[in-house]
Every structure is written in C-alpha cells, then in structure tokens.
Amino acid sequence: MSLAKPWRDLDRSTVGSAPNRYALYELGDADGETVGFGAGVLRDDLKEALAYGDAAKVRWELAESADHAERLLADHADE
C-alpha cells in the first residue's frame, strides 16, 4: 500500500532538502507507480537512489529511530 503523501521529484534539490533523519520512504517511477520501499537515514538513502537512477519520484514518513523506521517498513509490508 502506498504512503498517503504527495510525490516529490527525486532530484538533487529534493535530496538536499530531505531531513537527515530516519524514515520510511517509497520510490516511484515517472508515472507515479511504486518501484520500492526502504527504511533508513532519508538523505543518505535518497542520495544513493538518485545516483543509481532507479526512481524518478519519492515520498516519505519520518521516524523517531532506526527501529521505528524498520517497524514502519514491516507494518507497511504487511498491509
């Protein structure tokens, strides 16, 4: 199930403005179709996603800790 957040273009501007915090994030293609989910330090993970070019869009939900981000990912996968 997708996050109930608006898509943002996955570009250098978005990566630069992304919080340096743990998060659950969703990656999408240019049409807004989900291509994957992840959990980790948002800015670092988005830098990697941008470098590999696997996605064109992103949306996220911030977490309080690494464990919280992993729980959000697990809960999200169960839906």
Side-chain angles (χ1 to χ4, degrees), residues 5-62:
K5 306 277 185 175
W7 286 110
R8 300 170 191 233
D9 291 334
L10 181 55
D11 56 22
R12 288 177 21 181
S13 174
T14 299
V15 172
S17 66
N20 197 24
R21 294 182 48 192
Y22 289 102
L24 164 67
Y25 58 89
E26 179 179 4
L27 299 172
D29 65 14
D31 296 324
E33 297 294 321
T34 300
V35 296
F37 290 90
V41 177
L42 184 60
R43 189 177 299 161
D44 293 343
D45 286 6
L46 294 185
K47 284 179 188 176
E48 188 172 321
L50 182 62
Y52 284 107
D54 294 335
K57 297 183 180 286
V58 64
R59 51 188 167 195
W60 62 78
E61 182 174 332
L62 295 177

